[in-house]
Amino acid sequence: MLRNVLGKTFRFLGYTVQYGCIAHCAFEYLGGIVVCSGPSMEPTIQNSDIVFSENLSRHFYCIRKGDIVIAKSPNDPKSNICKRVIGLEGDKVCTSNPSDFLKSHSYVPKGHVWLEGDNLRNSTDSRCYGPVPYGLIRGRICLKIWPLNDFGFLRASPNGHRFLDD
C-alpha cells in the first residue's frame, strides 16, 4: 500500500516538473499574454488592454524600429515597461521633448535601443533614462487581444515624425 502511494506521488511530481518545464520554456521563448497598465502607450494601447507578446524576435535580434516591446524597466528591474522602439544601435534619435524649442539629437550606442511611449506628454521613457540595453527586452507585442472590438495587429506610431533616417 505504501509502495503504491509513493509510486503515484513520485509519478505526479515527475509530471508536474515535466509540464512545469514545458510551460517555462513556452513562456520564456515563445511568448505569453500581457496586461498593459498606464497611459504611456495611448492611443495605441489603453490601460488594461490585453496583448500577446512573442519572445522569439529578441532571441534572433529581429527587433525593428516601430515595434512595440516589453522590457525590464531600467529604473526598477522588478517591473516591466511597454514602449515603442524609436531607434536601434547607431541610429540618430531626437532626445528632446516635443514641446522643447531647441531639438537635441544623439546616437544610440552599440547594444542598445531607444524606447518611447506613444503618449509623449505622459511617458517615462528613454528621454528620461537614456538608451536601454538590448538585453532588457523581454518580447515584442504583435497582437491586441482585448478589448475584442480592437482585436488585431497594432497600428503604426502616431509619432512617426520622431523616426529619423540620418
Side-chain angles (χ1 to χ4, degrees):
M1 167 104 163
L2 181 63
R3 180 182 239 169
N4 191 17
V5 171
L6 284 175
K8 286 183 180 181
T9 302
F10 283 125
R11 268 195 303 280
F12 175 75
L13 287 174
Y15 286 131
T16 302
V17 169
Q18 182 179 6
Y19 291 120
C21 290
I22 291 170
H24 168 75
C25 289
F27 290 126
E28 179 67 22
Y29 296 102
L30 298 180
I33 305 228
V34 178
V35 178
C36 296
S37 62
S40 72
M41 285 304 293
E42 291 176 355
T44 309
I45 298 174
Q46 304 289 328
N47 191 35
S48 300
D49 280 359
I50 300 173
V51 296
F52 178 76
S53 170
E54 62 85 13
N55 298 348
L56 290 174
S57 294
R58 75 177 173 112
H59 292 294
F60 294 115
Y61 295 93
C62 295
I63 301 294
R64 299 185 320 252
K65 274 198 269 189
D67 287 346
I68 299 174
V69 297
I70 302 289
K72 287 287 181 193
S73 171
N75 293 340
D76 178 14
K78 294 180 182 175
S79 66
N80 291 322
I81 57 173
C82 175
K83 306 290 179 196
R84 190 177 297 272
V85 177
I86 301 298
L88 301 169
E89 62 181 42
D91 287 344
K92 183 179 179 183
V93 293
C94 180
T95 58
S96 55
N97 290 312
S99 58
D100 292 349
F101 181 71
L102 295 173
K103 302 296 181 198
S104 58
H105 298 87
S106 181
Y107 287 94
V108 181
K110 185 173 179 71
H112 290 71
V113 294
W114 189 267
L115 302 177
E116 290 182 4
D118 286 353
N119 185 355
L120 293 173
R121 299 196 190 289
N122 196 1
S123 177
T124 303
D125 49 36
S126 287
R127 292 171 296 151
C128 299
Y129 44 70
V132 176
Y134 194 90
L136 292 183
I137 295 176
R138 308 304 307 148
R140 181 179 64 91
I141 295 177
C142 55
L143 188 69
K144 189 184 290 189
I145 298 172
W146 188 263
L148 284 178
N149 63 336
D150 222 3
F151 179 86
F153 296 105
L154 297 170
R155 54 184 157 218
S157 172
N159 305 310
H161 62 280
R162 295 203 40 102
F163 294 88
L164 299 175
D165 292 326
D166 293 356

